[in-house]
């Protein structure tokens, strides 16, 4: 069995995966806000769903719960922003 290097272990850590997923979701939501088309909005929702899965995984591991909580709050904010964008997009 191959040993993990310190770097690869950190990359595979649930709280790191969560942080990375939330950053990607943040980027996707910003893209959707800049280009509010159905495709970019759906991509942002997909990115948020992926981050929510990473959140559940990180919560199950009970490590770095302060980081997990911060990411959870950020994810909730992103989802709220995206919901508002989709509502505004429907009205147009």
């Amino acid at each position: 069995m191959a040993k993990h290097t310190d770097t690869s272990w950190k990359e595979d850590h649930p709280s790191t995966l969560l942080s990375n997923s939330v950053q990607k979701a943040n980027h996707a939501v910003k893209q959707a806000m800049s280009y509010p088309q159905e495709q970019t909005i759906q991509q942002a929702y997909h990115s948020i769903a992926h981050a929510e899965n990473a959140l559940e995984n990180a919560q199950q591991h009970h490590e770095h719960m302060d980081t997990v909580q911060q990411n959870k709050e950020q994810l909730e904010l992103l989802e709220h922003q995206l919901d508002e964008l989709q509502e505004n997009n429907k009205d147009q």
Side-chain angles (χ1 to χ4, degrees):
M1 188 165 135
K3 282 187 168 183
H4 279 301
T5 64
D6 286 340
T7 304
S8 70
W9 178 83
K10 289 177 185 174
E11 290 171 359
D12 293 341
H13 198 274
S15 63
T16 303
L17 293 173
L18 172 59
S19 294
N20 291 342
S21 292
V22 171
Q23 286 177 351
K24 288 178 184 177
N26 184 40
H27 178 74
V29 170
K30 286 181 180 178
Q31 284 291 107
M33 293 174 85
S34 295
Y35 306 100
Q37 300 163 348
E38 187 61 29
Q39 182 179 1
T40 56
I41 292 171
Q42 290 308 312
Q43 287 172 341
Y45 275 118
H46 178 76
S47 188
I48 287 174
H50 182 78
E52 287 173 341
N53 288 337
L55 173 65
E56 288 179 27
N57 189 36
Q59 287 174 327
Q60 290 175 355
H61 283 83
H62 302 289
E63 294 181 25
H64 306 287
M65 292 309 288
D66 54 336
T67 303
V68 171
Q69 183 61 34
Q70 289 172 349
N71 281 302
K72 180 180 179 183
E73 291 168 6
Q74 177 69 21
L75 198 53
E76 289 170 352
L77 177 64
L78 291 172
E79 190 164 18
H80 177 72
Q81 289 173 337
L82 193 56
D83 288 343
E84 283 184 355
L85 177 64
Q86 189 169 43
E87 278 300 313
N88 292 338
N89 206 33
K90 284 181 183 178
D91 293 341
Q92 295 177 356

